[in-house]
Every structure is written in C-alpha cells, then in structure tokens.
Amino acid sequence: MNGKLSVNQLIKFILVCIVSTYSILAQAEQVFLIKTSKGDIVIETYADKAPITVKNFESYVDSGFFNGTIFHRVIDGFMIQGGGFDKDMNQKDTNDPIKNEAANGLKNLKYTIAMARTSIPDSATSQFFINVADNSFLDYPGQDGFGYCVFGKVIEGMDIVDQIAKVPTTSKKGHADVPIRKISINEIIKK
C-alpha cells in the first residue's frame, strides 16, 4: 500500500461518515407532539445541547404528567407558559429541580421552548414556556447571571402558539396573566 485510499475505500469511508452523522443527529433531536385544546404543536428537542433538561422533559412526558395541565400564564409579545398547573389552577407535585443548562449556546428566539424557573437558577422542574418573541434578555447570562435554558423549538403549529398568545387573560388564585378560557394541554407524546 502506498498510503492512498482507493476510490472504493473512499466511498465506503464517506458512507460511514454520513451514516454516523445521521445517527448522531437522530439521537440529538427528539420530536414531541403537544396536543392542546387549541390545536397541535410539534417541537423538537436538543439533547446534545441540553441533555439534563431534555431528559427531565421526556421523563414528565413518559409519566403522563403533562396530560390535563394548562397554559396558565400567557403574555402576548413575550411567551406562553404551561406544564405545572391543573385545570383548577392547582400546582402539581413535581420531581426534584434540575441544573440550569442555559449556557448551552441556544437563544430564546421566537418559537423556542425553554424551562421556567424561579429566581433560583437551578429550580426548573416541569414548567416550560414557548417564546412568542425574541427574548434575548432571557439568554445566558441574562439579567441574573444565569438565564433561562432553551432546549428545543416549535417546528409545526406556530399558528397555534400565536393563537394562544392572543387570548384574553385575568388574575386567578394569586396568579396574573391566566387565560380567561382554559387552554388545556391534553397530552404530550413522542412522535
């Protein structure tokens, strides 16, 4: 051998690279269907950028936790938030909080999905929000040095997200920006 690849070897090498790349990408992106009372939203998640967050979200999906929850906080021009309250505005018991992975390079752009949290950076549990505008002030490091972790984006159903963002809201049980007419998350499933 003279150290050069034959045409057949080169083709085999390229095919192996393509298949390997496709396998890695397939593992990195998981697709979920969010069935709401307004219509369906499809998201893809990025486990390669936010592995803890995606695993956390997937565990809630697998357990059926989100089924019957609502979008309980809607602010047009900002975001729609759900995944933590039932139809009567009772907060559901959750798993332990997770580490904030906001320093993953993903930005809070319109139609991205991110984890809601309290003023404590590592406090995210089940609640998530979908940005309905570019919210760069939420990006790492954000206003508090930590930011809010983006872990995916909407790939279908942007019109449903926009419809939800426009619903009238009120205050209920000490919470502001609650839709007057409930918007249910009927089910979230892996596609």
Side-chain angles (χ1 to χ4, degrees), residues 19 23 27 30 47 64 70-71 100 103 126 129-130 175 187 190:
V19 169
S23 296
Q27 291 174 2
Q30 177 68 52
I70 59 171
F71 281 101
N100 185 339
S126 66
F129 61 91
I130 299 173
H175 297 276
E187 184 178 29
K190 288 183 207 172

Side-chain angles (χ1 to χ4, degrees), residues 30-104:
Q30 177 68 52
V31 177
F32 295 89
L33 171 63
I34 304 173
K35 295 182 172 192
T36 80
S37 56
K38 285 275 192 191
D40 293 348
I41 301 167
V42 179
I43 63 164
E44 67 182 12
T45 58
Y46 306 124
D48 58 331
K49 297 280 190 176
I52 296 167
T53 308
V54 170
K55 183 177 178 185
N56 177 67
F57 182 79
E58 191 168 352
S59 73
Y60 283 110
V61 169
D62 290 345
S63 72
F65 178 90
F66 294 123
N67 303 350
T69 60
I70 59 171
F71 281 101
H72 66 275
R73 185 171 178 231
V74 171
I75 304 173
D76 191 19
F78 179 35
M79 59 90 221
I80 63 173
Q81 182 173 330
F85 287 81
D86 68 17
K87 64 180 176 53
D88 297 317
M89 282 298 292
N90 297 310
Q91 193 161 2
K92 294 183 72 171
D93 291 332
T94 63
N95 298 333
D96 291 336
I98 59 171
K99 178 170 177 39
N100 185 339
E101 296 179 295
N104 62 17

Side-chain angles (χ1 to χ4, degrees), residues 16-30 47-48:
V16 166
C17 289
I18 290 170
V19 169
S20 296
T21 301
Y22 179 77
S23 296
I24 290 167
L25 290 175
Q27 291 174 2
E29 296 175 5
Q30 177 68 52
D48 58 331

Side-chain angles (χ1 to χ4, degrees), residues 5-23:
L5 293 175
S6 71
V7 172
N8 285 342
Q9 290 172 318
L10 182 59
I11 290 171
K12 285 179 184 176
F13 175 75
I14 291 170
L15 288 173
V16 166
C17 289
I18 290 170
V19 169
S20 296
T21 301
Y22 179 77
S23 296

